[in-house]
Amino acid sequence: MLNPFPATALHTAIANDAADKRCTGLRILVVEDNQDLLEMLCDMLAMIGHIPTAAASGEQALELLQQQRYQVLLTDINLPNMSGIALGKQAILEAPDMHIIISSGHGAHIHSYVNFPCHMLPKPYELSRIQQLLDGFSA
């Protein structure tokens, strides 16, 4: 089910603050160039208790990685100017213990192009599949 309330900077800040106070969720950097999907993913992740931060490009994500530590990078594979794979390679250099999830509509064979530890999330996906991956990281 889609969240009927669009994400705003204030909404995301409130969700992040609430999640910070609970200290139960994972800090997740979500990278997606489709603004509607980015907002929906961040809203859903916040609703299930995680602490999402949105980035609309690989370049923006790299800037955020310099400023803050994340436990999970959830990135689309197709981003403007920098692929999710290139972003993942750079992110793993910055934070070797970060979990990387690469989302792709191109199928599982994309994993053969990746030379670092990551999880593939085939599109279309459901929130339950993301939650299953995240639960494995929290355990």
Side-chain angles (χ1 to χ4, degrees), residues 92-137:
I92 208 82
L93 292 174
E94 304 268 336
D97 58 338
M98 185 180 348
H99 299 281
I100 311 276
I101 302 172
I102 298 177
S103 173
S104 172
H106 299 290
H109 73 280
I110 294 297
H111 201 274
S112 63
Y113 296 103
V114 180
N115 61 355
F116 55 89
C118 72
H119 300 269
M120 298 305 292
L121 182 64
K123 287 183 177 179
Y125 52 81
E126 295 182 10
L127 181 60
S128 61
R129 177 62 184 131
I130 296 172
Q131 184 62 55
Q132 182 182 26
L133 285 170
L134 297 175
D135 286 347
F137 302 155

Side-chain angles (χ1 to χ4, degrees), residues 22-58:
R22 288 192 306 269
C23 294
T24 58
L26 295 166
R27 289 196 164 280
I28 304 171
L29 180 55
V30 182
V31 188
E32 172 62 60
D33 62 326
N34 178 312
Q35 188 64 34
D36 291 335
L37 182 54
L38 179 61
E39 290 175 3
M40 182 184 68
L41 277 170
C42 287
D43 279 350
M44 289 190 309
L45 289 168
M47 287 185 332
I48 59 174
H50 298 291
I51 309 161
T53 300
S57 69

